[in-house]
Amino acid sequence: MFADLHLHTQFSDGTYTPEEVATLGQKFGFAALALTDHDTVEGCARMAAACAAAGIEFITGTELTAEHDGNELHLLGYFVDPLNPRLLVEIGQFQTVRQDRVREMVSRLNRLNVPLQADAVFALANCRSPGRPHVARALVNAGLCRSLDEAFEKYLKKSRPAWVPKKKMSAREGIALIHHAGGLAVLAHPGLNRTDEVIPHLVDAGLDGIECFHTKHSPAAVQHYLRLAERYRLLVTGGSDCHGLSKGKPLIGTVRLDYRHVEKLKQRLAGRKPTIPSESP
Ligand code: AMP
Ligand code: ZN
Ligand code: FE
Ligand code: FE
């Protein structure tokens, strides 16, 4: 039995609906799937229903944008309660920041005489957690760029003229928020981060696991992070980070996490003290 614990949908910057992801998950024979849209849990209810219909176990999740020492890192939160009030308030603030950031990117483009409208981006994104990929798609749809690559290269990449930094929570706050919402905090794709030096700091802040298996991890990187997981007694996760079609094919199906790791996640949760009842809705 296998799982894919890193998937995106239209509720952030993926192109598939939750139903399409569940159907693909069924086609590839997955026993369990987790939805990890950026800074949101908006798609979890639909994904849960679609997975139930497809006979797949669904794990609620999110991918929080955080930072440590000025470096961006992504924290996966698994088994979070998607109705937890504090989670919804805090990610709501980051969603507002993302929406303001889209407006700022559009004003910068307008100053460069690129006549994109913010409403065109919001209509296309149609979710609370818009990002640069939506701006890039809107530029292509409006005929203002030939490709997504061109949009990033000319305008949206870091240090390009329409690049706007994102406000991020500290990694420590992100881990605490995931724990508060009843979840497990996992460092996403550490192989894409600038350095491993952050890992002991995150462990000190209560990190539960690291994503050893990821589309962009080489076999050597996988082995390296499996060893680090053992050294720091961290849980092991993995997923494709599928955002839709990549070079004509979906990434879902390319990373298959042994279901035993999902069982270990559940064992870790079961051994944890319940969250404070007075803070429940
Ligand atoms: P954001 O969270 O709004 O900063 O957008 C980050 C997302 O943009 C990443 O998850 C990637 O999917 C996408 N992205 C970043 N750089 C590029 C690039 N050079 N070309 C295409 N997509 C990119
Ligand atoms: Zn993404
Ligand atoms: Fe990520
Ligand atoms: Fe991701």
Side-chain angles (χ1 to χ4, degrees):
M1 282 164 71
F2 297 97
D4 186 333
L5 302 185
H6 195 149
L7 296 162
H8 294 273
T9 66
Q10 289 174 358
F11 286 96
S12 66
D13 55 1
T15 54
Y16 289 134
T17 61
E19 292 76 20
E20 286 168 332
V21 174
T23 301
L24 284 166
Q26 191 178 35
K27 179 179 149 195
F28 289 108
F30 283 109
L33 297 178
L35 181 61
T36 54
D37 272 319
H38 300 280
D39 300 319
T40 187
V41 285
E42 211 185 340
C44 285
R46 263 175 62 182
M47 184 76 176
C51 283
I56 297 169
E57 178 181 349
F58 174 62
I59 295 166
T60 56
T62 184
E63 182 173 13
L64 299 181
T65 316
E67 67 167 337
H68 182 84
D69 276 349
N71 291 320
E72 179 166 327
L73 56 91
H74 294 175
L75 290 170
L76 298 161
Y78 291 121
F79 299 102
V80 288
D81 171 7
L83 300 175
N84 180 276
R86 193 170 117 200
L87 177 70
L88 292 176
V89 167
E90 293 206 20
I91 60 179
Q93 288 164 358
F94 284 92
Q95 290 162 4
T96 306
V97 168
R98 279 180 171 273
Q99 292 157 21
D100 292 344
R101 177 172 172 249
V102 165
R103 287 189 198 92
E104 176 61 23
M105 286 191 275
V106 169
S107 339
R108 291 188 190 201
L109 286 165
N110 293 165
R111 269 178 260 145
L112 298 162
N113 293 322
V114 180
L116 186 70
Q117 290 185 345
D119 283 350
V121 182
F122 291 126
L124 174 149
N126 194 27
C127 71
R128 294 182 187 152
S129 212
R132 284 181 294 165
H134 298 116
V135 178
R137 281 180 219 153
L139 282 167
V140 173
N141 287 356
L144 298 165
C145 282
R146 270 167 302 193
S147 66
L148 299 178
D149 267 352
E150 184 186 310
F152 272 92
E153 287 303 321
K154 257 173 106 169
Y155 303 118
L156 301 172
K157 254 172 67 163
K158 191 168 180 177
S159 80
R160 291 292 187 270
W163 178 75
V164 179
K166 247 181 321 191
K167 183 177 176 291
K168 306 168 195 87
M169 64 181 89
S170 75
R172 190 172 280 277
E173 288 167 331
I175 292 169
L177 180 61
I178 290 166
H179 287 166
H180 171 85
L184 294 169
V186 172
L187 177 63
H189 43 65
L192 306 191
N193 294 351
R194 204 159 301 168
T195 142
D196 287 348
E197 184 269 338
V198 64
I199 294 174
H201 296 278
L202 301 183
V203 170
D204 179 58
L207 188 74
D208 298 291
I210 48 173
E211 188 178 49
C212 296
F213 301 94
H214 183 274
T215 316
K216 291 191 175 156
H217 282 178
S218 66
V222 170
Q223 291 311 315
H224 170 70
Y225 289 110
L226 286 171
R227 280 194 299 272
L228 285 190
E230 213 172 293
R231 183 186 311 161
Y232 292 108
R233 297 178 192 282
L234 292 165
L235 295 159
V236 169
T237 73
S240 63
D241 210 351
C242 179
H243 282 74
L245 293 179
S246 167
K247 301 194 175 88
K249 278 189 179 167
L251 285 176
I252 182 171
T254 58
V255 174
R256 300 170 73 78
L257 178 74
D258 194 308
Y259 187 82
R260 276 176 301 183
H261 293 297
V262 176
E263 280 167 351
K264 287 187 186 161
L265 294 175
K266 292 199 263 191
Q267 282 162 12
R268 173 75 63 96
L269 261 188
R272 180 180 282 170
K273 280 182 268 164
T275 43
I276 311 149
S278 63
E279 294 199 13
S280 299

